[in-house]
Amino acid sequence: STDDQHALTPLSNSAQAEIISIDAAIDNLGTGRFQIRVLFAAGLCFMADSMEIMLLSFLSIILQDEWGLSPAQTATITSCVFAGSLTGTLILG
């Protein structure tokens, strides 16, 4: 049909598409349910990461006393936790 042919023809010079910036495109989209859900999920992830670091700071002192670790051994365990976080982030995104 003529509608199908018209849809497949490239735009002529007189019918150029309007070019807008990325900021304008995001403003045109607005904030919807999806954006709020993504923001909430990201907030939960940041909160969980912060809690992990806070608990690690408390638990490293307790483990040092409980297991009789030297400060270097405690730092190694803490570094392993951060290395695991880095590896998980790189693999899983």
Side-chain angles (χ1 to χ4, degrees):
S1 76
T2 59
D3 289 335
D4 291 337
Q5 290 172 348
H6 182 67
L8 297 176
T9 58
L11 293 174
S12 66
N13 289 338
S14 62
Q16 292 285 330
E18 180 184 352
I19 298 174
I20 61 173
S21 68
I22 293 174
D23 290 336
I26 291 172
D27 288 340
N28 288 341
L29 286 174
T31 304
R33 184 175 173 202
F34 175 76
Q35 287 84 6
I36 292 172
R37 290 179 68 185
V38 168
L39 183 64
F40 182 74
L44 287 177
C45 290
F46 283 122
M47 185 176 65
D49 191 43
S50 299
M51 288 180 66
E52 177 187 6
I53 293 170
M54 184 180 69
L55 286 173
L56 184 62
S57 67
F58 294 128
L59 291 177
S60 64
I61 296 170
I62 293 171
L63 287 179
Q64 187 175 5
D65 292 338
E66 189 72 27
W67 291 352
L69 300 174
S70 69
Q73 291 171 322
T74 305
T76 302
I77 291 173
T78 303
S79 297
C80 287
V81 171
F82 287 117
S85 294
L86 175 66
T87 304
T89 300
L90 292 175
I91 292 172
L92 301 175

